[in-house]
Every structure is written in C-alpha cells, then in structure tokens.
Amino acid sequence: MTEKAINQDERSSRRSLGVHLTSVDLFLEYIFPEIENILEKYIWVDLYCGEGNLILPILNYIPEDKRIDFFQSQIFMYDIQNEMVNKCIQNTVLYGIPKEIASKNIMQRDNLASFPDELKSKSLPIFHITNPPYLYLGYIRKHKETKIHFKYFEGENDGFQDLYQIAMINDLRNDVNNLIYIIPSNFLFGASVSNKFRLEFLPYYKINKMIIFETKVFKFTGTNICIGFFKKKVRPKEETLKFRAIKIKKNNSILERDYVLNPKWKYRAGTKFDEFNHNFKSSIPLNVKYYLLNKDIEENSGSHSIEVIDTNAYQSNSYKRETLFVNEYLKKKVQSNLLYVRTVDTGSLDGRTGLYEIEKGFSVDGIYVSKATYRTSPIQLFFDPMISKEDQWLLKDYFNFILEYFRKKLDSEFLTTYKYSNAEYTRKYLGLTQVRKIIETFPILNLNIEEKKKLKELIVKRRFSDICDFIQYTKEGKKKEKLNNLTYWM
C-alpha cells in the first residue's frame, strides 16, 4: 500500500472517531508554562489521552528518583481505543516508568459514556488536560460509520452538537474545577453548533485564557482549534465573561485581543455584528426565503422554460446546467430574483462570502436544488415583497459592504471557520440566519427615490457610521437624530 493510501486510511479512521493526536511541542509551548509551578498540587488526568502527549511530558520536570511515585499517585490516563492505550503505555516506559506500573494508571475506557468515579476519591483535586474527540452531529448523521456516536447525544445530552461538548459537560457534572481543552474554535465563534452548549457550560466556568489557531495544527484534519483554560466558578452565575486571547495567524503572526462574551448573545464571540443587526433592524424588514426546490418545480410545472444549474450535480468542476419547464408564475419569480448567497469563502479575494448576481456567476436564470439542500452550495434568494432589479443591486452592495466592514473590524470572528487551507485568509462560513439578519437591516421598503440615491452614495463612499445614522433616521419616522452611541461604531 502506498504512503498516500495509508494516510488516507488513517485520515478516514481518525475522522470516524473524531480523534486527532496532539504533539508534545504543542503541550510544551502553550500549556506547560501555565501549570509548571503547580505540578504537586493536582492529579493530572487525560480522559482521551491518545499517545499521552498532553500529560507524559510533565515527567521530564519531576526528579528521576521521585518520578515513579509521582506517576503512581498523580497521573491517570484513559482512551477508548486499546491501540492508543498500548501506545501510551509504551511512551510512558520511555520516561522511565516500568510497564507494569504504567498499565495500572493507563486504562481503556469510554469516558464519553460516563465519568471514572475512582478519580473522585483521590487525595488531590483533578486537573483535566485533554484533546477530546470532536465530531459534529451533522456529520455523524450523514455517515454510516459514525452513527454509533448517536448514543452520546441522548437523554440529558439532547441538543448538544459535537462530541467535545459531551466531554466538557461530563466534567461540569462531575465537579472538575480545572480544565485545559483543545477544541474546535466553533466553541467561541459558532452559532447553532455551540449556542446551547455555551449557555449551559459558561455560567459554571470562567475562561482564564484562550489561544486561537488559524493555522493547521493536526495532520489529518483542517479543523481550526483553540486551547481553552477554564476554571470553575465558586457559584454558577450567568454573567458577562472577559478574557484575553492570543491568535496564531498565518505565517505564525500573533495577535492579542480582549474578548467579551455576553449571555444576551449566547456567549458568542464577535457579537458587535449581532448588536448591529439587532439595533438597526428596519421598521419594515425585507423578507427572504432560500432555495428553488424540486417540489417548487413539481407544483408549478408548465410549458415555460428556465435555465438553471443543479447544485446536487457537480461535474468537471462546475454545476450541471438544466432546462426546466414551469408555469408562467414560477418563471417570472425565478427570473425576477437575481441574487444568490455564497456562504463559504473560496479562498480567493473575489470569492468571499456575500451576495452575487446569478447571471454573472453562472449565466442562468436560477439555482435549482434537485435533492437535498446544502448550506455550503450557492443558494438563490427569493424576496417578499418583490423588489426591483435596481433595488436588488443596491441590496447586494449594501450587504457586502456591511459584511466586509465587520469582517475587518472583528477579524471575521462572527463567522464560523470553515476549514484550513492554503488560501490568503482563513476561510469562513456565513450562516443563513446571519444572511437574513443583515437583509433585515436593509431599509429599502422605507425609502423613496432620493433616499435610495443617498444610501447608494454612502455605500460608495464606504461611510459606515453615516449608514447607521441613515438607517436610524428611516426607523424614526425620518426625523434624523444622531445616535447616542454613534461613536461606538466609528
């Protein structure tokens, strides 16, 4: 078997388990400096230990004559895979620990299913450092080999969206006070994927520090990750959390930022975007619906032809073109709605998320979904009430300006990281709820011809604060008043 084939098999195996092994270097550079002065005060635990690289390097900092005793009393590791347990035991021997002793403290166990109660009776408190399995529930549903993980999302875990959330909520329920977790950065920036989890977890824990990676960390996955340093609160409280984070960006450049997570916005980072959408929602918002579905075609069959691409048929690096026959009503509806949303960055500067014209992008009338809908495919927008093509072009320019303004201001943190690539920037995913909320701030239904010209002028001049002022003016019976917090947006 070729090396490429072996790597592909290993990639598939790790993907099905949600497992990605951590390097010793990651531990030594980012985690050990935070714990090196407290090694004697805790038992050091990894419930999803893999090869042991998040715990075993501690032994290098324990005197050799005390190392075996330290290991026996203060290091405990587990993994669900027997192969990983054996590998971890082998690695432990390299640190000078006899195999028979290592075997007693490194055990095979399914810790997503339940917490090992024997740890609670130890004389020292638990400090849990781990890189847990992470696998999104949406992926689990779609792949036969991963459906075994459904059992973890039942009962009191119903509503959680990823395996790492099961691991962390187990720690909460078992009163583990100190946690260092390597987890997907959607913990901070995700919406539906992590809203429920943050609302249940963060009233109990404060975040002391975060290290956020926008570079590839693991060999077999492009998932962007962060290292979170958590401390359990004395009393649970739903409150605003503040902490400093270090972002490791492309070319290993470093950006330090202060974060504020507000429970009002479900503790999600990058909430100035959410605040804008909330504060500047139009008094008469434009409604939008997504997708031209197969059922729409079946319910409106006729003799009028429309040219479409089918997003369920991707061939030779392009979507398959089709001619569909529909009634006059649907033909007019499809041809009158000119825009589609690109929800995922392509990686090129002219392929960022935003609104685009269907004709310019694909030279067809519409974007058709013959089978299942996918949020990462191009999606046609349908407006209610219908607006003119000139107003749709204005919406496109407005939408893309607002989106890019916040991407620059917030380093795109309100968007979900899509995956690692060699692109010039970190690729992001724009949720359909976010699309709707930006569109709802577009005040087109309140504007006369002159006011539309004024809005277009403000967009061309890229004057964000004046656009905010203009929207507020349209909301308040067109009695123009300066916003009390206008300087906040400048």
Side-chain angles (χ1 to χ4, degrees):
M1 184 179 291
T2 66
E3 182 179 353
K4 182 177 180 181
I6 292 172
N7 283 343
Q8 185 59 45
D9 285 349
E10 187 170 359
R11 185 190 306 273
S12 298
S13 175
R14 294 192 189 284
R15 181 61 167 163
S16 67
L17 294 168
V19 171
H20 305 288
L21 300 181
T22 317
S23 72
V24 172
D25 291 340
L26 192 74
F27 170 80
L28 292 176
E29 184 169 358
Y30 298 108
I31 296 176
F32 186 71
E34 305 295 325
I35 65 170
E36 60 180 324
N37 295 323
I38 55 172
L39 297 181
E40 300 292 340
K41 295 182 179 181
Y42 296 92
I43 62 169
W44 300 94
V45 174
D46 188 346
L47 299 183
Y48 316 93
C49 68
E51 296 177 344
N53 291 335
L54 287 178
I55 298 291
L56 291 178
I58 291 174
L59 292 172
N60 281 332
Y61 300 87
I62 305 300
E64 288 189 19
D65 60 335
K66 297 181 179 180
R67 192 172 291 180
I68 293 176
D69 289 341
F70 182 90
F71 179 86
Q72 285 181 303
S73 61
Q74 290 185 246
I75 288 181
F76 300 90
M77 293 182 287
Y78 304 79
D79 201 278
I80 193 172
Q81 297 182 79
N82 188 57
E83 175 189 355
M84 288 294 102
V85 170
N86 291 334
K87 179 65 175 176
C88 188
I89 291 172
Q90 292 172 19
N91 288 341
T92 304
V93 172
L94 298 178
Y95 286 87
I97 307 300
K99 183 177 180 180
E100 60 272 16
I101 293 177
S103 299
K104 293 180 180 179
N105 284 24
I106 304 172
M107 294 157 277
Q108 183 178 11
R109 193 178 192 281
D110 182 0
N111 289 321
L112 288 177
S114 64
F115 191 87
D117 286 335
E118 64 267 19
L119 295 178
K120 299 178 184 179
S121 61
K122 303 299 180 183
S123 59
L124 293 173
I126 298 169
F127 203 123
H128 189 195
I129 305 176
T130 192
N131 176 24
Y134 22 96
L135 202 58
Y136 174 51
L137 186 57
Y139 183 92
I140 292 171
R141 287 195 183 102
K142 294 177 183 177
H143 296 83
K144 182 179 179 181
E145 68 274 14
T146 60
K147 289 186 178 179
I148 188 174
H149 301 308
F150 267 134
K151 61 186 178 183
Y152 300 120
F153 297 92
E154 297 174 347
E156 60 185 343
N157 292 334
D158 182 38
F160 294 136
Q161 297 293 315
D162 202 296
L163 291 179
Y164 79 83
Q165 297 171 7
I166 308 301
M168 295 178 75
I169 208 71
N170 282 350
D171 282 351
L172 186 160
R173 292 168 183 159
N174 288 278
D175 294 320
V176 182
N177 289 329
N178 294 281
L179 311 175
I180 299 177
Y181 263 78
I182 301 174
I183 48 178
S185 56
N186 67 33
F187 168 80
L188 281 177
F189 306 117
S192 58
V193 69
S194 45
N195 281 340
K196 173 182 168 62
F197 176 68
R198 285 193 303 264
L199 285 171
E200 294 202 19
F201 184 80
L202 289 178
Y204 292 86
Y205 285 88
K206 63 180 180 179
I207 302 174
N208 288 333
K209 181 180 180 180
M210 277 278 178
I211 301 171
I212 303 163
F213 294 86
E214 291 194 347
T215 56
K216 188 170 184 176
V217 174
F218 299 123
K219 181 178 180 181
F220 293 105
T221 178
T223 300
N224 286 79
I225 59 101
C226 60
I227 305 177
F229 299 77
F230 302 93
K231 176 74 174 179
K232 198 168 188 186
K233 300 175 184 178
V234 176
R235 296 180 186 83
K237 185 178 181 181
E238 192 175 88
E239 60 186 344
T240 298
L241 301 180
K242 299 179 181 180
F243 61 93
R244 170 149 287 203
I246 297 171
K247 295 185 76 172
I248 313 296
K249 300 177 72 66
K250 290 186 180 297
N251 302 317
N252 289 320
S253 62
I254 295 175
L255 174 67
E256 289 194 27
R257 296 197 60 179
D258 292 319
Y259 286 83
V260 178
L261 306 186
N262 192 324
K264 178 181 178 181
W265 305 108
K266 301 177 181 177
Y267 293 105
R268 189 181 184 204
T271 55
K272 283 185 172 61
F273 171 77
D274 297 309
E275 292 173 29
F276 168 81
N277 291 328
H278 175 78
N279 293 333
F280 293 95
K281 182 178 179 179
S282 174
S283 58
I284 310 177
L286 179 64
N287 296 315
V288 61
K289 294 184 178 180
Y290 304 117
Y291 302 111
L292 173 62
L293 301 172
N294 186 55
K295 71 173 185 177
D296 298 319
I297 305 301
E298 292 178 346
E299 292 172 359
N300 294 276
S301 61
S303 59
H304 297 267
S305 65
I306 55 172
E307 297 295 319
V308 299
I309 57 166
D310 182 356
T311 58
N312 293 122
Y314 196 72
Q315 302 172 348
S316 303
N317 296 319
S318 63
Y319 292 105
K320 181 182 177 182
R321 294 173 61 100
E322 286 191 42
T323 300
L324 303 177
F325 291 91
V326 299
N327 59 25
E328 184 178 2
Y329 160 77
L330 188 57
K331 177 174 182 174
K332 182 178 180 181
K333 180 179 178 180
V334 170
Q335 292 183 334
S336 298
N337 286 278
L338 311 175
L339 303 180
Y340 74 96
V341 59
R342 175 181 289 147
T343 59
V344 176
D345 290 326
T346 64
S348 65
L349 292 178
D350 60 353
R352 289 163 72 85
T353 60
L355 300 190
Y356 294 84
E357 295 177 42
I358 295 171
E359 171 62 30
K360 288 185 178 179
F362 303 104
S363 300
V364 292
D365 300 313
I367 298 175
Y368 169 55
V369 183
S370 61
K371 298 176 183 176
T373 59
Y374 290 98
R375 293 175 296 172
T376 54
S377 299
I379 299 168
Q380 186 166 1
L381 307 182
F382 294 92
F383 300 108
D384 181 25
M386 189 62 233
I387 57 176
S388 69
K389 64 180 181 181
E390 291 80 13
D391 289 349
Q392 290 183 59
W393 293 336
L394 182 59
L395 168 61
K396 173 178 68 73
D397 293 340
Y398 169 85
F399 184 102
N400 293 340
F401 170 73
I402 295 297
L403 181 60
E404 286 299 326
Y405 172 85
F406 280 105
R407 290 196 71 164
K408 182 177 181 180
K409 183 179 181 67
L410 302 176
D411 198 31
S412 296
E413 289 174 344
F414 61 98
L415 301 176
T416 301
T417 297
Y418 182 59
K419 64 180 180 180
Y420 170 84
S421 73
N422 293 320
E424 297 179 42
Y425 55 89
T426 301
R427 294 175 65 192
K428 296 286 184 173
Y429 166 76
L430 173 67
L432 294 181
T433 298
Q434 294 172 308
V435 173
R436 186 184 308 279
K437 288 188 179 298
I438 297 178
I439 290 173
E440 287 177 343
T441 68
F442 182 57
I444 194 67
L445 301 181
N446 281 332
L447 305 184
N448 59 36
I449 294 176
E450 291 304 314
E451 289 164 340
K452 291 177 184 179
K453 290 180 180 178
K454 179 62 177 176
L455 178 57
K456 183 175 182 178
E457 176 186 326
L458 294 175
I459 295 170
V460 170
K461 293 182 178 179
R462 312 190 74 76
R463 292 165 61 172
F464 179 78
S465 60
D466 286 345
I467 289 175
C468 292
D469 199 17
F470 180 85
I471 296 172
Q472 193 72 3
Y473 150 68
T474 67
K475 290 178 64 175
E476 296 179 353
K478 301 184 180 179
K479 296 178 181 178
K480 190 169 185 178
E481 299 176 1
K482 281 287 183 183
L483 298 176
N484 292 331
N485 62 342
L486 181 58
T487 55
Y488 172 80
W489 301 103
M490 297 182 68

